[in-house]
Every structure is written in C-alpha cells, then in structure tokens.
Amino acid sequence: MNIDKGFLEETETIDYNEPIIQEKVNELKQISRSQQDYIKNAYRFVRDNIPHSWDIRSEIVSRRASEVLINGTGICWTKSCLLAALLRANGIPSGISYQYLTRADEVESEGYIIHALNTAFISELNKWIRLDARGNKENVHADFSLEEGKLAFPVRSQLHEIDYRDNHTDLDEQLIYILQESKNILEVTADFTMNSANPVLS
C-alpha cells in the first residue's frame, strides 16, 4: 500500500520535533518491544495520562501537540495531534479522522460537535486502524484494537450522527482557527459538518 508522505510529516499542530515530544518518544521506545507495542503504549499514554479538558473543567487552550504535553490536558482535537506526533516521530504513519456527534446523550436539542480521533498504519499487517484517545470515563470505553476500532462514541444514525471514516494528514483548518481564536476551551463549539475530501478508510 502506498502511503501519502503527509502522514509522516511535521505540521504546525503535529509538531513532533519539539524537545518535549522527542523526550516522550524516547520514553515510549524504552518500554516497547515492537512497533505494534509502541503504538499501543503511545495510544494508552495519551488516552490515560492526558485528561480531556472538559472532564476536568480546565479552561486551558492547548493548540498543538507539544502544548498538550506541556499543559497536561487538551480536547480530542489536539489529543489526536499529540498521538499523531508520537507515532510520526517514530516513523509510523498517522492521521486524523472525524465524527459528527450530538452534545446531549439522547436528544438533538443541544446541537452537535466535531469529534477527532486517530488513524495509524500497521506496516506488518499492511492496514490502517483507528484509535480514539479521547479519554475513558463512565460510559466511554475506547481501547486499542487491530480489528474494528473500539472508539469512544458509537454513532447513532437516528440522531443524524456521522462517522466519516476519513483520514486526514493534519487537523482541519476550521478547527485550527477555532483553537487560535479561543481563550477558554470550555466555550469552544463547532456546530458544522466536515467537508471530507480525504480518502475514506475501508
């Protein structure tokens, strides 16, 4: 399978050459026995050790991967940038995928959000997998899987939710702009559908 080199490149939001990212990459390498083990360890580090800002009611705005590590928190958009950075820095292609979800659990009245998660290419298996490092909590049980993605949120078509199953080389420009303009991450909204022009994962 030919992989777009963009899935390995550094970007403004996936800034893996920053020393703090490189330090964490070296730590993860030391505890990993294989590429798949490294992917699992990097995923679980971001999922379990970087709390989602909304879960801890933190107003801090982390705008890129390195800031997520420095601040110790981020929302799914930038937690996905951090995981992509940790993978790309070790030569593992990684991208970002999106879901369009309702804010409330059972109704559409509170509007929708854009949820970001990751893709990772497993060279030994010649396949892409999906990983959701949002962070687990009550009723959210995402995990590492080489088969069908064990994601944080099942999409409910009856509420007009969408799983784009797309694969992007960087965080969407609309989301980057929202983060740049935000002073309080708890006030961030993104009530629009994505324009997915990137390859769809099969």
Side-chain angles (χ1 to χ4, degrees), residues 88-156:
R88 292 183 187 186
N90 197 28
I92 300 166
S94 179
I96 298 176
S97 185
Y98 299 102
Q99 294 177 325
Y100 180 65
L101 306 173
T102 59
R103 288 182 172 275
D105 288 336
E106 297 178 356
V107 296
E108 304 168 48
S109 59
E110 294 184 28
Y112 291 81
I113 59 171
I114 299 296
H115 176 60
L117 53 126
N118 286 94
T119 62
F121 185 73
I122 309 294
S123 59
E124 297 98 323
L125 303 177
N126 196 35
K127 66 180 286 189
W128 288 93
I129 64 170
R130 302 173 85 204
L131 300 168
D132 195 333
R134 180 235 176 261
N136 288 343
K137 60 177 185 176
E138 185 179 1
N139 299 324
V140 176
H141 305 289
D143 205 354
F144 179 85
S145 174
L146 296 175
E147 305 305 325
E148 185 65 22
K150 294 184 179 180
L151 308 181
F153 304 108
V155 167
R156 300 162 297 182

Side-chain angles (χ1 to χ4, degrees), residues 77 80 96-100 114-117 130 162-168 170-173 175 194:
W77 303 350
S80 66
I96 298 176
S97 185
Y98 299 102
Q99 294 177 325
Y100 180 65
I114 299 296
H115 176 60
L117 53 126
R130 302 173 85 204
I162 303 170
D163 188 346
Y164 293 101
R165 297 191 63 83
D166 47 1
N167 197 11
H168 299 263
D170 200 2
L171 194 65
D172 185 86
E173 290 183 0
L175 306 186
M194 304 297 294

Side-chain angles (χ1 to χ4, degrees), residues 41-54:
N41 288 332
Y43 162 70
R44 289 185 174 168
F45 166 75
V46 178
R47 184 194 67 182
D48 299 339
N49 294 89
I50 307 291
H52 193 289
S53 304
W54 293 353

Side-chain angles (χ1 to χ4, degrees), residues 68-86:
V68 176
L69 264 187
I70 292 167
N71 296 330
T73 186
I75 61 171
C76 60
W77 303 350
T78 46
K79 288 189 68 172
S80 66
C81 291
L82 174 57
L83 181 53
L86 295 173

Side-chain angles (χ1 to χ4, degrees), residues 4 6 64 76 95 157:
D4 184 332
R64 54 179 59 91
C76 60
S157 58

